Amino acid sequence: MDANGKAGVATTVGAAIRRFVGGGALAPQAAPPQPLPPLKAARIAIERYGVAFAAVAVALGASLLLHRYRIERLEFPIFLFEITLVVWYLGLGPAILAVVLSSLAFNYFFTEPLYTFYVNGIDLAYYIVFVLFALLLTWFSAVRRRFERELLQSRDELQKEVAVRTQQASLLDLTHDTIFVRDMNDVITYWNRGAQELFGWTAEEAVGKRSPQLLHTKFPIPVEDLRAELVRASRWEGELERTKADGSRVVVASRWSLRRDGLGRPLAILETNNDVSDRKRREEEIRNLNQELGKRSGELEASNKELEAFAYSISHDLRAPLRHMVGYTELLQKHASSALDEKSRRFMATILDSTKRMGNLIDDLLSFSRIARTETRETTVSLQQLVKEVRDEIQPETSGRDIAWRVGELPELRGDRAMLRLALVNLISNAVKFTRKRPHAEIEIGCLEKQNGGVTVFIKDNGVGFDMKYVNKLFGVFQRLHRAEAFEGTGIGLATVQRIIHRHGGKVWAEALVDAGATFFIEVPNRR
């Protein structure tokens, strides 16, 4: 083979090395995170290839020096060592250059015939072994460097992951919420400061312990059902009862989140807890108070029913003897009036007046008791029509008097017509009664603007009024703010009005000034 043939073999071997090492899966695939500027990259590449060329020259010089002093057969390991250094420190491109140049130098200076690129049959095998060995060394070094880079990259990623996890753990330690992590065997692997504050154990005392045994957890449902729900939904929420380090019990609102690995297998459980012991204690107190209130309400309702039944019974039973008293007093007055003196006749008149007033009181008391016993029958009621009927009913009381009536537009609402009529009778009759001393009476009935879907009706008069400091007594049974000699009445009418309006879910109140009139308001929710 001539020199041109040896050059062709060297070129072919170099191309084969480039194809084998430079391409495919074995080539290093890690790229710099950020590319270098073009000029700087070119300068670095020139320096690397220059160092590779210099390494070949040094290896060649050393081999020639040893050969001059008759130290032979060291050229082969010197060139291999030089190629190894270039591959290890300079990378694949300079390594390819070093392999090609080393092959040519070894062939030219140390393969017979010397100082030519001719390769005879005997030396060809030796030359091919050198090239293949250099190629194998280059491949091994490239793989080693790639593994080393991947290992360094994995180490950097692990350090970043550790830094992130450390930062997350530090953030979790800053919160006062109770957070800890346990594996699928309930062994605690993480315990934050909030858990230490709530339960009393430090992280060193808690980590490595099984949470059910450490906290003596009392579950609301069987543990197997709870874990099945956690695996199915990857989360669970509920209330647990646990024991602190000092032995006291605490109720917590617990939230569990299941962490899975890349294959979806359960890996760990993150649990957060909030102390709800005070809330549970308050709820228990409220529940006990409600039970006590319900018990007392039942007792009060039973007492009210007994009182109403007693009042109804007494009122009903008093009617018969009272009628006898009135009847016999009238007979006595009729037959013995001529035989009595003036003082005795005045006594008999007082007896009759008192018995009649007692009769009216009994009738009002019966009406008041009957309201609580009567079922409410709701219909659509026209307040305008009710006011007209009431005015017609009390017309005998207003005849001969100067009364200015002002009745505005009144709406319709849902309610018991008979009860609402009775309430209006009492209120309008009061307005007529307490304006009796006015030479010109004024009575106004109207409706305020609707608020919150309710109806507010007012009855206003210019009568004698009353002192507002006694307003709390106004709607009590048998409560009167004026003397019976001045204005008749039993003191039950306004109490009846209040009970009727309360039965309709509304309220009643009054505003007045002494000798300047009064205004009564009734507010009833409109359930139309």
Side-chain angles (χ1 to χ4, degrees), residues 135-404:
L135 180 64
L136 180 63
L137 182 62
T138 303
W139 172 79
F140 175 78
S141 299
V143 171
R144 175 73 178 271
R145 285 177 61 85
R146 190 189 71 181
F147 286 161
E148 186 180 52
R149 281 194 296 270
E150 291 178 352
L151 183 61
L152 291 175
Q153 184 178 2
S154 299
R155 186 193 67 182
D156 293 341
E157 292 176 353
L158 181 59
Q159 289 177 345
K160 292 179 181 178
E161 181 71 16
V162 170
V164 171
R165 294 296 177 87
T166 303
Q167 183 180 13
Q168 291 175 346
S170 300
L171 292 175
L172 290 178
D173 262 341
L174 292 177
T175 179
H176 291 281
D177 291 340
T178 302
I179 301 174
F180 64 89
V181 179
R182 50 194 170 87
D183 61 20
M184 298 309 295
N185 294 320
D186 291 327
V187 176
I188 298 172
T189 58
Y190 173 76
W191 185 268
N192 81 329
R193 187 178 66 178
Q196 177 178 338
E197 292 175 352
L198 176 60
F199 296 116
W201 286 284
T202 64
E204 292 76 13
E205 295 171 331
V207 172
K209 305 286 179 51
R210 297 188 75 248
S211 62
Q213 283 70 35
L214 178 69
L215 301 173
H216 300 284
T217 306
K218 182 178 180 182
F219 296 97
I221 59 176
V223 180
E224 296 76 12
D225 297 343
L226 190 152
R227 294 182 73 91
E229 175 66 18
L230 177 65
V231 172
R232 183 189 66 81
S234 296
R235 61 186 296 110
W236 179 84
E237 295 185 11
E239 292 184 353
L240 303 175
E241 186 176 345
R242 284 176 162 159
T243 302
K244 294 184 179 181
D246 60 5
S248 61
R249 301 290 288 179
V250 61
V251 180
V252 296
S254 185
R255 296 176 179 84
W256 297 8
S257 297
L258 185 64
R259 183 183 177 188
R260 301 178 183 270
D261 59 15
L263 299 178
R265 294 173 299 192
L267 189 63
I269 301 170
L270 184 145
E271 182 174 341
T272 62
N273 295 272
N274 291 319
D275 187 0
V276 295
S277 300
D278 290 340
R279 191 196 72 190
K280 296 293 290 183
R281 188 160 43 251
R282 289 193 296 270
E283 289 177 353
E284 182 65 23
E285 291 174 356
I286 292 173
R287 189 159 42 248
N288 293 335
L289 288 175
N290 286 335
Q291 291 177 354
E292 183 66 21
L293 181 61
K295 180 180 178 182
R296 293 186 179 182
S297 297
E299 294 175 352
L300 181 61
E301 184 177 356
S303 298
N304 285 337
K305 288 183 178 179
E306 291 176 1
L307 182 60
E308 290 170 358
F310 175 76
Y312 182 83
S313 177
I314 291 298
S315 301
H316 188 272
D317 293 342
L318 286 177
R319 293 174 65 87
L322 188 62
R323 283 197 298 269
H324 292 163
M325 290 174 59
V326 173
Y328 284 111
T329 302
E330 289 178 345
L331 288 175
L332 183 60
Q333 186 182 40
K334 179 179 179 181
H335 295 288
S337 177
S338 58
L340 299 176
D341 58 10
E342 183 64 28
K343 187 175 182 179
S344 298
R345 285 196 293 271
R346 189 168 65 250
F347 288 161
M348 293 184 63
T350 301
I351 292 174
L352 284 174
D353 290 340
S354 297
T355 52
K356 288 180 180 179
R357 189 169 61 177
M358 187 175 181
N360 293 333
L361 184 61
I362 291 173
D363 290 339
D364 290 345
L365 187 59
L366 283 172
S367 299
F368 182 75
S369 300
R370 196 176 293 115
I371 291 173
R373 301 161 63 90
T374 305
E375 182 180 354
T376 302
R377 298 180 180 179
E378 287 192 356
T379 59
T380 300
V381 180
S382 171
L383 293 180
Q384 197 85 38
Q385 180 63 29
L386 278 187
V387 170
K388 182 179 182 302
E389 292 178 6
V390 172
R391 287 185 59 188
D392 292 341
E393 180 179 339
I394 64 173
Q395 197 275 334
E397 300 177 27
T398 61
S399 61
R401 291 184 51 189
D402 183 12
I403 300 178

Side-chain angles (χ1 to χ4, degrees), residues 423-479:
L424 289 177
V425 166
N426 279 285
L427 292 175
I428 297 175
S429 295
N430 276 355
V432 172
K433 178 170 60 176
F434 290 108
T435 57
R436 185 183 300 155
K437 296 183 179 181
R438 295 288 188 258
H440 177 71
E442 296 180 0
I443 299 176
E444 181 180 0
I445 305 172
C447 181
L448 301 180
E449 293 184 4
K450 294 183 180 180
Q451 296 180 352
N452 301 324
V455 175
T456 302
V457 177
F458 66 89
I459 296 93
K460 181 179 181 182
D461 63 66
N462 65 338
V464 296
F466 57 86
D467 194 336
M468 284 294 290
K469 68 180 180 181
Y470 302 116
V471 70
N472 293 329
K473 300 173 57 178
L474 194 63
F475 296 97
V477 180
F478 304 131
Q479 296 293 331

